[in-house]
């Protein structure tokens, strides 16, 4: 049984973040990080350090013995300071030391269920959890696949399937006529994927803090006050961390920090009918970009809803330019009326979204890629040992594909067989 | 009318049928094997060879369970080759050319001498039914055989059609009549059917082949047997010849494509991609100007030669033309033309993991009728059906094989959960636990199981226990002393200076480290027998991986043991997307493990399923 871990508290900037580990090595992990084991079922203060001895955090830790924990297994709880950076560093340390692996969604619950620690009626709540998870995953997948990573992920999948097929062919069709360059071709493929994975992992580390974790789009007719609102938001509690200017007819992005979560605000081109070719393209882009957003703020004035926009249930619809109308329930970028409330509202929505999909999926992707890269490196090493180690090579490849399966989809034996029969004439 | 009372009746005497009958009889139940002709038992209808990659693993596993195929193939083996000899043991597969006649005769002799087994010549025309329950079979002469279970292993008899060019005839195997009434009865069960095809090459007269012109392929210098009980071949060994197709061969085939049954539009069944006809090879890989053809003698005193690699459904005159275009075959005589055969198969998803039809209690299907191809796949299924039909008669628990334990388990799981789209053949790539499931350790994996079931002979049991003792002694010697990296460096071993001590057994896992090399580090190991040395070294090579895979295997075992009862209400699972729900309803997974393999299944959704299963079982216990 693996030891698993996951963030038990919500995502985002909070006072305390609770990291929970469960499984046979949970206490060993506590010892590795805190340097000692606290007494059972008692909170105690401990300094968590990484392998080099550098301090990760000063935390409250508690350990629970099996049969007396949430999952019925040995459990460790680390109550960390709630900064995403600290949480991320501790998670990375746990993964890299191989103390535990990131839990799959629902895995804690499953263990509790299997160990009889859960009343079966409590499980009813699972349905809601799964619905939320499915929705979050769908959005996450959409984000990955429509972004720049999507192309890479597709390429990795294709390359891995083909490379694995080459090796599989050399094993399962050893008594057939196969081209001599199979191994060289496979090596080239694995080296390429490994290099790309490395670059991607480096990219994640560097860009981690400025990544656009969440997209908030502001939509409305031309001159509905979108830009003014954006400037007001940027000038208040939120801090601009970077901005990329497009043309006024395109999409302007402003990155800021709301409630400890990185947010990209999109100021879109005004939505109206007609206009010239370039403006129409701008509007189209605005709608496409906004469709990916985690939250859409729709500004309306006395001209009503902008054309071409289908309101979704969770869109935030606001009356703009309340300074002109003198109304009290709208917002005004100029006077600042309603801006704090808006920010609070946005923060609440994002934090709740973060607790479902959030940056954990980024961590998940990063661990997946590192795992795959390590497996590929082992595979390349076996390749050097020659033919007699082919089955070990193949096993490392299978592990690499397994690490990536959340990103690239499950690689099935049928995928490899398809590739083999497409490329080689086999069958005596 | 004569009547017979049996526990298990096996219909068909091919590779599935013989293995099924032998297995049931070993379990100690009264078994009948019904075949059209006694002389048909153990006939090899396609190529005269057993084993290969993945397939050789299956034969070893059958043998480890004390089945019959391995020993018969050893007795009939006229050329043994261990495939992938230069690669690691996990992907090595034993293969042997067989003398058809010896194979058949050995099979017949062994079955005749088997206790609890009665061989009956006759044609099964119908099942005996008591309501919806099966209670035996009826023969063409009107006699009845009563039994609690029936195993149907009738190969391609369901709607079988043989094609040679534009000629077609209804048939099972070449020269055998298909059994129509039984097929009608089977159809009345409303089983989901599919259609497949397969082909054979023309058989050649070896006396008319210019062997001296050909490259020849001999067997291995040190032949490796199938059975754990055998050490060396029993009969004279021979070589095979190799010739090649050429531009002219391809030209003949291209010009006559329209006359091929396949390309002339006479065939709808789906053929295997790993065993394409020569027409397919020429069309799909048009840039290849030559293909290998292995000329395999069918026996020591038989001149028939099986040209492996040129199966076809072209008319006879074209077959002659293209065969004679090849080197050394210029004057060859065709003894029997090649043909394609189309047949219906039963979607194996209508079977459970014991190969029993879910909707017809007591009826088991094994072999080609389940959409598989190959003697070994058929025999393995026959054995599983035979063991389980016997267990059913004895009122014992189902006998299951898991993916983590055997290739047999991989095949059963694949067939019953995923179905087939082309004739199913075993490949080592299908086994995710390939490093643990080796041909060399099939006995370690399965013979204890056979012993526990009571289907293992005393002789095999004793041989196995002796081997295990010696192996354990060997491992003790190899692990007796451990050495620091520095000490090892002095002995010429380059290991990382991590401060960890290592034993001779540990060192055997390193690339290039042989048993002879570690001898100086293990006192007493020099007295070990070669066979035990080889096995200990192989076990050591994979020890770490096997250990690592144990966790996965345990997780799989847990999920495989969580059975989803028939009629489970997948629709009632709230919280799942309708797409996922649809997949569950359609694919009806039998276990949580199979549910987990459905595309799009998430871990959390599995937890939900698990919780519903728990609730259902709690309610059942209470109610």
């Amino acid at each position: 049984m693996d030891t698993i871990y996951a963030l038990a508290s919500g995502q985002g900037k909070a006072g305390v973040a609770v990291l929970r580990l469960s499984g046979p090595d949970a206490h060993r992990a506590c010892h590795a990080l805190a340097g000692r084991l606290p007494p059972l079922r008692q909170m105690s203060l401990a300094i968590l350090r990484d392998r080099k001895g550098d301090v990760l955090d000063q935390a409250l830790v508690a350990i629970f013995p099996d049969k007396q924990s949430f999952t019925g297994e040995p459990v460790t709880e680390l109550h960390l300071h709630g900064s995403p950076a600290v949480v991320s560093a501790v998670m990375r340390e746990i993964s890299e030391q191989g103390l535990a692996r990131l839990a799959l969604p629902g895995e804690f619950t499953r263990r509790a269920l299997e160990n009889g620690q859960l009343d079966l009626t409590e499980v009813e709540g699972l349905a809601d959890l799964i619905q939320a998870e499915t929705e979050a995953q769908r959005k996450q997948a959409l984000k990955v696949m429509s972004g720049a990573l999507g192309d890479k992920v597709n390429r990795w999948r294709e390359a891995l399937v083909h490379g694995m097929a080459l090796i599989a062919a050399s094993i399962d069709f050893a008594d057939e006529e196969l081209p001599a360059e199979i191994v060289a071709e496979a090596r080239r493929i694995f080296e390429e994927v490994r290099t790309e994975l490395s670059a991607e992992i480096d990219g994640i580390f560097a860009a981690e803090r400025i990544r656009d974790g969440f997209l908030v789009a502001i939509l409305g007719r031309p001159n509905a006050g979108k830009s003014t609102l954006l400037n007001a938001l940027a000038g208040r509690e939120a801090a601009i961390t970077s901005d990329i200017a497009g043309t006024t007819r395109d999409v302007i992005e402003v990155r800021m920090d709301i409630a400890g979560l990185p947010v990209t605000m999109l100021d879109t081109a005004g939505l109206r009918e007609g206009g010239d070719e370039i403006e129409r393209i701008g509007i189209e882009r605005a709608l496409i970009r906004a469709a990916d957003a985690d939250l859409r703020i729709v500004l309306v004035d006395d001209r009503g809803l902008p054309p071409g926009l289908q309101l979704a249930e969770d869109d935030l619809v606001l009356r703009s330019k309340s300074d002109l109308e003198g109304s009290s329930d709208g917002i005004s970028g100029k006077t600042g009326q309603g801006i704090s409330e808006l920010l609070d509202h946005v923060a609440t929505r994002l934090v709740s979204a973060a607790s479902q999909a959030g940056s954990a999926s980024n961590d998940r992707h990063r661990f997946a890629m590192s795992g795959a890269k390590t497996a590929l490196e082992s595979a390349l090493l076996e390749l050097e040992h020659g033919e007699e180690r082919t089955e070990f090579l193949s096993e490392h490849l299978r592990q690499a594909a397994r690490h990536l399966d959340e990103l690239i989809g499950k690689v099935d034996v049928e995928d490899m067989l398809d590739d083999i029969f497409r490329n080689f004439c086999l069958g005596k | 009318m004569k009547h017979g009372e049996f526990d298990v009746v096996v219909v068909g005497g091919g590779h599935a049928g013989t293995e099924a009958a032998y297995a049931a009889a070993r379990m100690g139940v009264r078994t009948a094997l019904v075949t059209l002709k006694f002389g048909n038992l153990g006939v090899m209808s396609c190529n005269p060879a057993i084993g290969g990659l993945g397939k050789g693993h299956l034969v070893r596993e059958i043998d480890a369970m004390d089945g019959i195929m391995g020993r018969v193939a050893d007795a009939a083996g006229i050329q043994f080759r261990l495939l992938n000899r230069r690669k690691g043991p996990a992907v090595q597969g034993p293969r042997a050319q067989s003398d058809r006649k010896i194979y058949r005769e050995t099979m017949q002799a062994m079955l005749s001498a088997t206790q609890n087994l009665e061989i009956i010549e006759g044609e099964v025309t119908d099942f005996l039914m008591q309501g919806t329950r099966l209670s035996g079979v009826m023969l063409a002469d009107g006699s009845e055989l009563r039994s609690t279970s029936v195993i149907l292993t009738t190969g391609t008899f369901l709607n079988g059609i043989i094609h040679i060019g534009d000629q077609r005839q209804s048939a099972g195997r070449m020269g055998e009549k298909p059994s129509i009434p039984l097929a009608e009865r089977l159809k009345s069960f409303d089983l989901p059917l599919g259609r497949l095809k397969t082909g054979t090459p023309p058989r050649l007269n070896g006396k008319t082949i210019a062997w001296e012109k050909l490259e020849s392929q001999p067997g291995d210098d040190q032949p490796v047997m199938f059975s754990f009980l055998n050490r060396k071949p029993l009969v004279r060994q021979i070589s095979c010849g190799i010739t090649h197709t050429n531009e002219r061969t391809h030209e003949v085939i291209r010009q006559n494509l329209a006359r091929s049954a396949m390309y002339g539009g006479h065939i709808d069944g789906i053929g295997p991609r790993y065993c394409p006809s020569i027409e397919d090879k020429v069309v799909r890989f048009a840039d290849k100007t030559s293909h290998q053809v292995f000329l395999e003698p069918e026996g020591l005193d038989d001149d028939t030669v099986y040209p492996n690699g040129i199966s076809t459904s072209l008319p006879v005159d074209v077959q002659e033309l293209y065969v004679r275009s090849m080197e050394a075959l210029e004057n060859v005589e065709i003894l029997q033309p090649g043909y394609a055969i189309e047949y219906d198969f039963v979607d194996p998803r209508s079977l459970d993991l014991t190969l029993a039809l879910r909707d017809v209690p007591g009826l088991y299907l094994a072999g080609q009728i389940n959409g598989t191809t190959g003697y070994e796949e058929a025999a393995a299924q026959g054995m599983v059906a035979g063991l389980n039909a016997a267990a059913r008669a004895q009122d014992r628990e189902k006998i299951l094989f898991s993916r983590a334990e055997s290739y047999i388990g991989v095949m059963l799981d694949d067939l019953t959960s995923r179905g087939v789209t082309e004739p199913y053949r075993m490949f080592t790539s299908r086994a995710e636990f390939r490093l643990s499931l080796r041909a060399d350790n099939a006995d370690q994996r399965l013979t204890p199981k056979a012993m526990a079931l009571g289907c293992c002979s005393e002789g095999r049991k004793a041989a196995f226990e002796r081997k295990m003792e010696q192996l354990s002694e060997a491992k003790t010697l190899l692990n007796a002393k451990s050495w620091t990296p520095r000490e090892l460096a002095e002995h010429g071993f380059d290991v990382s200076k991590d401060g960890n001590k290592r034993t001779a057994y540990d060192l055997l896992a390193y690339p290039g480290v042989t048993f002879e090399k570690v001898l100086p580090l293990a006192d007493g190991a020099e007295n070990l027998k070669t066979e035990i040395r080889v096995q200990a070294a192989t076990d050591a090579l994979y020890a770490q991986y096997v250990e690592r895979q144990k966790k996965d295997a345990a997780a799989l075992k847990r999920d495989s043991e969580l059975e989803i009862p028939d009629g489970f209400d997948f629709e009632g699972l709230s919280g799942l997307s309708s797409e996922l729900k649809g997949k569950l309803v359609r694919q009806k997974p039998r276990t949580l493990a199979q549910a987990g393999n459905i595309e799009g299944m998430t871990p959390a959704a599995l937890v939900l399923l698990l919780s519903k299963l728990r609730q259902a079982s709690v309610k059942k216990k209470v109610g």
Side-chain angles (χ1 to χ4, degrees), chain B residues 470-492:
Chain B
Q470 292 172 346
L471 198 56
S472 135
E473 183 196 342
K475 289 180 186 175
T476 310
L477 288 176
L478 292 165
N479 279 315
K481 212 167 158 189
S482 52
W483 312 73
T484 65
R486 184 189 301 201
E487 288 166 336
L488 287 175
E490 283 166 20
H491 280 92

Side-chain angles (χ1 to χ4, degrees), chain A residues 2 110 120 123 130 133 170-172 174 177 387 391 394 396 398 402 412 414 418 421 426-428, chain B residues 53 84 86-88 273-274 276 281 284 292 308-309 418 428-429 434 542 545 551-552 559 604 611:
Chain A
D2 283 344
R110 174 164 185 177
L120 282 172
V123 176
I130 287 158
E133 178 213 336
S170 80
I171 291 174
D172 271 321
E177 292 172 291
E387 206 181 355
E391 75 258 45
S394 193
H396 291 303
R398 210 172 62 82
R402 249 177 76 166
D412 189 85
E414 292 300 328
D418 284 345
F421 297 130
L426 300 165
K428 22 182 255 186
Chain B
L53 295 162
N84 272 335
R86 286 206 307 256
K87 298 197 179 79
R273 289 174 301 174
Y274 43 81
K281 290 184 182 181
R284 291 189 40 229
Q292 274 189 120
N308 206 340
R418 310 171 67 147
T428 70
S429 306
R434 181 164 63 189
Y542 297 101
Y545 287 87
K551 256 200 287 199
D552 290 349
D559 285 5
S611 68

Side-chain angles (χ1 to χ4, degrees), chain A residues 359-376:
Chain A
S359 66
S361 42
N362 281 338
D363 282 326
R364 203 174 270 290
H365 291 170
R366 193 184 63 216
F367 294 136
M369 287 189 234
S370 320
K373 186 184 139 202
T374 311
L376 272 180

Side-chain angles (χ1 to χ4, degrees), chain B residues 402-415:
Chain B
S402 93
R403 297 186 74 92
E405 158 197 69
S406 60
Y407 276 80
I408 296 173
V410 170
M411 175 171 66
L412 294 173
D413 186 56
D414 282 350
L415 289 175

Side-chain angles (χ1 to χ4, degrees), chain B residues 130-318:
Chain B
Q130 279 179 338
T132 58
R133 277 182 74 88
L134 199 72
S135 58
V137 298
M138 174 166 320
L139 304 187
D141 65 3
S143 60
E144 295 180 346
L145 306 177
R146 303 211 161 266
S147 71
T148 45
S149 301
V150 174
I151 304 173
L152 202 56
T153 69
T154 43
T156 58
F157 93 118
L158 269 181
N159 211 1
I161 296 176
I162 281 181
H163 297 264
I164 304 175
D166 58 1
Q167 291 181 8
R168 46 195 283 162
Q169 66 181 95
S170 248
R173 258 192 310 245
M174 198 69 169
E176 279 180 16
K177 55 178 181 171
S179 176
I180 306 285
L182 185 60
E184 290 304 317
R185 166 66 84 171
L186 207 55
K187 274 180 192 157
S188 78
F189 292 144
D190 241 357
L191 304 170
L193 301 177
R195 197 147 177 83
L196 296 172
K197 73 129 208 175
T198 185
T200 66
R203 309 299 164 84
L204 310 177
N205 182 347
K207 280 190 185 146
T208 58
I209 294 174
W211 292 99
E212 69 283 355
K213 289 196 200 169
L214 292 174
E215 179 191 339
S216 82
Q217 183 189 47
D220 290 344
D221 293 337
Q222 291 176 324
V224 172
M225 303 288 103
F226 287 110
S227 175
F228 288 98
L229 300 178
N230 293 332
R231 293 292 168 268
K232 54 177 195 287
L234 297 178
V235 294
R236 178 165 61 86
Q237 301 294 292
I238 54 108
S239 292
C240 294
I242 302 175
T243 183
H244 297 87
T245 63
N246 53 45
E247 303 267 24
R248 210 153 52 81
T249 320
H250 296 190
E251 192 48 41
V252 170
I253 289 163
R254 263 194 291 270
Q255 275 173 4
N256 289 286
L257 267 185
R259 298 182 63 199
S260 149
M262 254 193 70
Y263 283 86
H266 301 290
I267 292 182
D268 317 312
I270 300 164
R273 289 174 301 174
Y274 43 81
C275 192
S277 63
I278 188 65
E279 292 98 298
D280 258 344
K281 290 184 182 181
V282 169
V283 171
R284 291 189 40 229
F285 296 90
D287 51 338
K288 249 191 128 184
T289 53
S290 172
H291 298 277
Q292 274 189 120
V293 179
F294 289 84
L295 299 175
E296 304 173 345
E298 298 205 347
L300 294 175
D301 54 3
D302 182 347
D303 289 320
T304 313
V305 167
Y306 186 96
N308 206 340
I310 51 168
S311 77
T312 186
S313 62
L314 283 161
V316 181
D317 59 316
V318 183

Side-chain angles (χ1 to χ4, degrees), chain A residues 152-179:
Chain A
K152 282 186 208 156
V153 164
N154 280 331
R155 215 166 48 234
W156 293 340
R157 182 188 166 83
E158 230 166 86
L160 268 185
V161 168
H162 184 50
M164 289 169 79
L166 291 174
I167 300 301
S170 80
I171 291 174
D172 271 321
F173 299 95
D175 51 341
E176 306 265 2
E177 292 172 291
L178 291 171

Side-chain angles (χ1 to χ4, degrees), chain B residues 479-539:
Chain B
N479 279 315
K481 212 167 158 189
S482 52
W483 312 73
T484 65
R486 184 189 301 201
E487 288 166 336
L488 287 175
E490 283 166 20
H491 280 92
F493 292 98
D494 181 26
V495 302
S496 92
K497 310 270 182 290
D498 53 9
N500 289 333
K501 285 183 149 194
R502 291 168 177 80
T503 67
Y505 193 74
D506 296 333
L507 289 172
L508 283 169
Y510 283 69
V513 174
T514 59
F515 197 92
E516 284 58 45
K517 256 187 168 164
V518 303
L519 272 181
L521 304 181
D523 289 339
E526 63 279 1
N527 297 325
L528 294 168
K529 288 197 303 189
T530 310
E531 181 203 323
I532 296 298
R533 289 184 184 199
V534 171
Q535 191 63 57
T538 306
D539 288 354

